[in-house]
Amino acid sequence: SSGNLRAFAFWAHKLSLARKRCQRLEDTVARRRRRRYRQAERAAAPHTKSKMGRTTAADKKKMLLKIYHTKKEPFNLKELTKLAKAAGLAEKLVQDVNTQLMDDNYVSSDKIGTGNYFWAFPGSQGAQAKKQLDEVRCRVDGVILALLASRRRRRGVPSRHRSEQSPRVS
């Protein structure tokens, strides 16, 4: 009878260890499911957030630019605020973010009648970039020509242009 009691205690102990092991596995699986669910929520979020859970200034600018580029029409501040609020941007920040975008030349504005209208079209950024690139290339070409002219003068090589030649002494 004591042998049966010992065997029963042994198997009861084994059973409790197995239950604990099973509970730990279930907890691990539940944690992994919650983690995957949170990751999927973050991936499906309309805008990205920093580590602290706050939307960064760059993300706010992207959100507002996305509104401009999807609608492709001019807005007054009231309309823009309403659309930005629907996109998840606070009403108080819209004017500040819009001003920053105007300072960075991403958004154009004009006063029409008594109202101020703002717009930004997807192709305008490319056109602005090309214009700036052409201006820089012209400046670089001017600097290269000036450099070549100064080298010729130092070496005593006559210049090809009459305006760069020194007057002749006879």
Side-chain angles (χ1 to χ4, degrees), residues 25-149:
L25 284 172
E26 287 175 356
D27 291 344
T28 304
V29 168
R31 269 196 312 272
R32 287 179 182 166
R33 277 190 191 139
R34 283 192 302 266
R35 189 181 308 139
R36 268 190 250 126
Y37 180 73
R38 282 193 306 262
Q39 287 173 347
E41 271 185 339
R42 277 189 226 123
H47 56 278
T48 58
K49 293 187 176 188
S50 67
K51 290 181 182 176
M52 296 301 291
R54 297 180 184 204
T55 310
T56 63
D59 292 335
K60 291 172 188 172
K61 287 180 182 181
K62 287 177 188 175
M63 288 169 64
L64 206 54
L65 269 177
K66 188 175 182 182
I67 292 171
Y68 280 120
H69 291 174
T70 55
K71 295 289 184 175
K72 297 178 185 172
E73 61 185 50
F75 301 105
N76 61 19
L77 193 58
K78 188 175 181 180
E79 294 168 343
L80 188 62
T81 304
K82 191 182 293 183
L83 290 170
K85 184 180 177 185
L89 191 60
E91 291 181 48
K92 295 177 183 179
L93 297 174
V94 174
Q95 188 171 2
D96 295 333
V97 174
N98 197 37
T99 305
Q100 290 173 3
L101 287 172
M102 287 171 40
D103 292 342
D104 296 340
N105 291 327
Y106 287 112
V107 174
S108 302
S109 69
D110 201 5
K111 185 168 185 156
I112 302 172
T114 58
N116 290 323
Y117 288 87
F118 308 98
W119 65 90
F121 301 115
S124 64
Q125 291 175 348
Q128 287 176 353
K130 282 183 183 179
K131 184 179 176 183
Q132 289 176 348
L133 181 64
D134 289 341
E135 290 174 1
V136 169
R137 282 183 178 162
C138 288
R139 277 193 251 141
V140 167
D141 290 343
V143 169
I144 289 173
L145 287 175
L147 181 65
L148 289 174

